[in-house]
Amino acid sequence: MPNSPPANEPWKLLADMHPIAKVSVGQILGLVEAIDEVGGSADVATISQEVEMDIDRLGPIIDAAELLNFVKVAEGDLTITELSRKVLHANVRERKKIIRDIIDDVPIFKQVMEMAKVAGRPLSREEVLGTIAAQVGTHNADDLFDALVYWGRYTELVHYDSESEQLTILMPSQ
Amino acid sequence: MAVTRKQLRAAAAVLVLLAAVAAVLAPGAALNAGSLALLALYSTIRMALAFILSLVFAVAFGTAAATSKRAGEVLIPILDILQSVPILAFFPPALLFFYYSLGGSAVGEEFAVIFLIFTSMAWNMAFGVYEALTTLPGDLKEAASVFGVRDWLRFRRLFFPATIPKLVYNSMLSWTVGWFYLVASEAISSGSLNLERPGLGSFIFAAGQRGDVPAILLGIGALAVVVLLLDTFLWRPLSVWSERFRMEQTAGGPTTRTTAPYERLRWLPRFPRIRRWLSARLAPLAKGWNRAASPLDHYYVSHPKLVRTVRWVDLAMFLVILVSVVVTGVVGIAAILTSPMPALAGEIPAAIAASLGRLGLAYASALAWTIPVAAWVVQSPRASRFVTPFLEVVASIPATALFPLIIAFAVLAVGAFGLEAELSAYMVALFAMQWYLLFNLIAGMRSIPGDMREAAKVFGLRGRIYWKRVLLPAIMPSLLTGSITAWGAGWNALIVAEYISYAGHVYRVGAGIGYLIAYSTYTPGDQGRLLLLSVLALVVVVLAMNKLLWRPIIKRASTRFRIEIQ
Amino acid sequence: MTAGSLILEVKHVSKSYSENGKEFRVLEDVSFEIHDRDFICIVGPSGCGKSTLLREIVGLDLPTSGEIRFEGKPVQAENPRISMVFQSFALFPWLTVLENVELGLEAHKVPEEERRGKAKKYIDAVGLAGFENAYPRELSGGMKQRVGIARALVMDPTLLCMDEPFSALDALTAQNLRDEILQLWTNPDIPPSAVLMVTHSIDEAVYLADRIVAMSPRPGRIVKIESVDLPRPRNRKEPEFYGWVDEIYSLIV
């Protein structure tokens, strides 16, 4: 995988965003399970055959899994981490909490949350897109926004109304 | 590609400035403009009333035809025939009925006009509802059954939402058509009948009678402004909202085909703020509606016997009405046919032939210019940006409003040869037909899959081969849809165009079925038989064209090109 | 075998269609029973009538001969105690996730407060908390199916029927969802009492089911009903697993 981010700063890749934008939680967890089933470590080709998905489709999922620290990638071999073992055996709600703790630290999320606090009202899609585009350019802004909404909703940090295109940050109810 | 809101605001500011300057320079004209606004309001209200009637009819009729197979077998053929009858053929009987039965009062006239517009809208909206319901995905119906969603709730949550995209689409189409008939019907002055209802149509007509070209232009301008305002504040938000109800093609990869009426609005921005404001206002209404509907559901479920009895009574009433209409119609027609043929009846075949020829010529001319222009607009983004709004505005002017200008032009051009009536009839038909073709073609060409175009480039397909092998097959569905609609519009246009009075003169073509129909409507005396025969002849020709020409072509096109035609 | 109470009886059910004067036999003399705490998979080649059978059990279709009894009484459509999950998700595109899940409750006149609470509970249980106001087009395939599952479970059904629920999903999402279904199944707080699933994937059947009903090609007959006694969670890489798959495969071919 090109450009692996430094191990303790996975969120740097998030700023570039492409992988996680089109990948769902289910796919990431499915990948982790598939690796677990063959013993916890395998090379990409094997996994690709196991799940009957070609490398093009698998790539973004692997990137996203790596981002969230669920999978370690080294010389074409995928290994699941302690964290992902924990996630595999957690129930649906515990998984959310684990992922929420990771997402919470991502700069983009933090930035949008600041915006919302300062504004004191729901943000419109245009406003958030503008801020995002300033960081990553207009080309990727839409994808990043969708990812923000998706992961934000999943971790219950964000409320988005697609009809009125209003984004609200939910105060974390830990 | 859309015009931005900033640009629109700038344009609006310029217009307002111009208007202010004009008002200062010519106070008299400004006063006239004020009355124009009022007239515009009247016309719009008439349209709105007809539209609401059509909506109710379409939903009731379409749902009945779609939910019960037996009802469908009776109702759909009726709709088919009603749709084939050129709308202006409805006008004389409607006029006679409403006007005279209400003692020749203004109310009667209004009813007649509204009824006419209703007939121009209702049939295709009913078809839209019917089609939407019959193409409802089976798994949604099954899910509704499994979870116990039936009767009124089923209608609210499943059937009605499913019809919304087609309803909005057909509503926009209907309004465009409706303006045409509104303008034609607000003022009738032929023979013994002299009707005039205040509105933009009568304003333009009166100006035409006086030969007052500036006033004509003003009237046309006002009409264009009204259409633009409606497009911006009603249709564009509505069509964006209706996207929510669209069924997705399963498994991503949506090839969103922009169809003709939506093509019209592409250049307008999406106005999220307007939509937000509207939905904030309407949401409590929707909630209240839902809440009020629950006791109704409740009632339905707890009184099944009552519901069944009501249904039977409904059906019985409907059958009684249907049978009496059919019997009266048959008896009336028989009576008229058994009485001696009117003298002019012999002209009917020649009249049909002449009108067919006229329309054929107009159709060919329209094709000749719309195909290249559509190709050009689609290929050049700059052309799209600037030309589309312009074409938009011009197309929104109904051909009937342009009469006075067309006749004036025709008189100037060929008055010396005495051909002005022929030329103007041809031009009106052309104007009525060409926009349907143009916008459908643009939509069709836009939806040619990008990779097909690329493949053509890679293989060096150009010129005639490109047209023959790539372009033509790809646009066939749009071409057909556009052609069918265009011909329908053409027939209707001829009914008004083959017999026109302007500035005190009467212009009539040598032979034409439109002429015969108009003549028999407005000439005093017992013309009922001639009218009926002419209308029948026209209906027969239109139905024949449908069955013998359009249907087979559609069949051939959909198998050969394996594309779906709407 | 499981000594739970009898939930469903399928007795000598046959189904045939006539088209152009010819008669097509789709199902032939199918009989089996479902008890409390059964997880049953019907497997068979395509065209063997398994989806037809499922629809007859749910009440969407009628058998040509034979009968189906649910809790002792003949089957009716719209029975809230039998719920269904669809292969194509069958979500209403103009309703939010919450409104979709509530739909069955709304149809049964459950008051707003109560049905909202119940729907939210099940939306949370399938892992979709936070998406209540999203529309189906904003969701991925796996999420849509979760909505379908929540919608079915919120009715508190005794029998949950699933028609090839994972065949429209990619392999990773499908596997993830299968595991979550098993998690829900082992949770005593969550209905249903029994699950009946139709699938064309033998792997899937062996992975999930307690009992497998193997059907022949058309006209569909029951070849054999096997009880799979592997402990859960099952590992698809284990030789025992392969053994079962091979055996079922030989039965339906």
Side-chain angles (χ1 to χ4, degrees), chain A residues 48-109:
Chain A
S48 167
Q49 239 178 3
E50 273 301 310
V51 302
E52 289 168 15
M53 269 176 127
D54 56 60
I55 307 236
D56 287 333
R57 282 192 73 190
L58 213 46
I61 304 175
I62 298 177
D63 283 344
E66 194 185 12
L67 210 70
L68 293 174
N69 240 336
F70 287 168
V71 151
K72 279 205 184 51
V73 183
E75 289 152 19
D77 271 348
L78 308 172
T79 319
I80 58 179
T81 61
E82 267 311 304
L83 184 63
S84 55
R85 281 221 179 76
K86 211 164 78 170
V87 159
L88 258 183
H89 294 111
N91 68 22
V92 169
R93 272 188 221 101
E94 287 163 11
R95 280 178 186 168
K96 271 203 195 196
K97 185 164 182 314
I98 294 174
I99 295 182
R100 184 186 303 154
D101 289 336
I102 301 176
I103 296 286
D104 228 347
D105 280 332
V106 173
I108 285 286
F109 266 72

Side-chain angles (χ1 to χ4, degrees), chain B residues 250-391:
Chain B
T250 41
T255 40
T256 38
R257 301 194 60 188
T258 39
T259 40
Y262 293 133
E263 196 51 47
R264 249 181 52 200
L265 301 174
R266 263 174 69 114
W267 64 286
L268 284 168
R270 287 166 70 100
F271 295 124
R273 247 181 278 168
I274 294 184
R275 272 185 294 126
R276 235 175 273 155
W277 183 86
L278 278 172
S279 72
R281 293 285 167 283
L282 293 174
L285 265 176
K287 270 209 189 108
W289 160 256
N290 272 344
R291 234 167 249 152
S294 318
L296 192 65
D297 294 337
H298 205 74
Y299 194 76
Y300 243 68
V301 174
S302 40
H303 298 83
K305 272 216 189 105
L306 183 61
V307 171
R308 234 175 295 152
T309 334
V310 170
R311 285 221 182 110
W312 278 114
V313 171
D314 238 347
L315 195 63
M317 267 180 9
F318 175 75
L319 281 173
V320 165
I321 296 178
L322 190 65
V323 167
S324 40
V325 166
V326 168
V327 167
T328 329
V330 168
V331 165
I333 293 178
I336 291 190
L337 288 177
T338 50
S339 43
M341 286 280 169
L344 286 172
E347 288 186 21
I348 291 184
I352 295 263
S355 296
L356 255 176
R358 223 163 266 130
L359 280 184
L361 193 61
Y363 179 62
S365 329
L367 275 183
W369 83 262
T370 51
I371 295 185
V373 170
W376 171 61
V377 166
V378 167
Q379 267 175 9
S380 146
R382 237 194 307 152
S384 294
R385 265 192 107 184
F386 294 115
V387 174
T388 319
F390 169 71
L391 283 175

Side-chain angles (χ1 to χ4, degrees), chain A residues 16-34:
Chain A
D16 292 335
M17 218 36 184
H18 325 288
I20 210 166
K22 310 258 169 115
V23 166
S24 71
V25 180
Q27 288 171 318
I28 299 176
L29 291 175
L31 176 67
V32 170
E33 281 167 22

Side-chain angles (χ1 to χ4, degrees), chain B residues 428-496:
Chain B
V428 172
L430 179 63
F431 263 82
M433 293 174 103
Q434 62 195 8
W435 306 122
Y436 288 109
L437 280 173
L438 181 67
F439 288 112
N440 269 292
L441 281 173
I442 292 183
M445 289 188 186
R446 276 231 170 85
S447 66
I448 298 178
D451 47 9
M452 221 196 264
R453 266 183 274 180
E454 279 176 18
K457 250 191 225 162
V458 165
F459 288 108
L461 293 174
R462 213 155 288 185
R464 204 168 289 167
I465 297 188
Y466 179 69
W467 279 81
K468 191 171 166 210
R469 291 271 175 226
V470 180
L471 201 61
L472 229 48
I475 62 174
M476 197 49 81
S478 323
L479 185 58
L480 279 175
T481 316
S483 301
I484 297 175
T485 340
W487 272 82
W491 286 115
N492 277 296
L494 283 188
I495 298 184
V496 269

Side-chain angles (χ1 to χ4, degrees), chain B residues 139 142 150 157 244 248, chain C residues 55 78 88 94 135 137:
Chain B
D139 61 353
E142 285 185 339
R150 54 182 131 71
R157 290 283 191 213
R244 150 144 95 110
E248 303 172 320
Chain C
R55 276 175 169 69
E78 306 174 5
S88 57
W94 45 80
Y135 285 93
R137 69 185 127 81

Side-chain angles (χ1 to χ4, degrees), chain C residues 161-183:
Chain C
C161 291
M162 303 207 273
D163 186 11
E164 305 213 31
F166 310 116
S167 58
L169 306 171
D170 68 76
L172 290 179
T173 313
Q175 185 54 25
N176 177 240
L177 208 50
R178 273 182 216 118
D179 283 328
E180 288 191 13
I181 296 246
L182 280 181
Q183 262 182 9

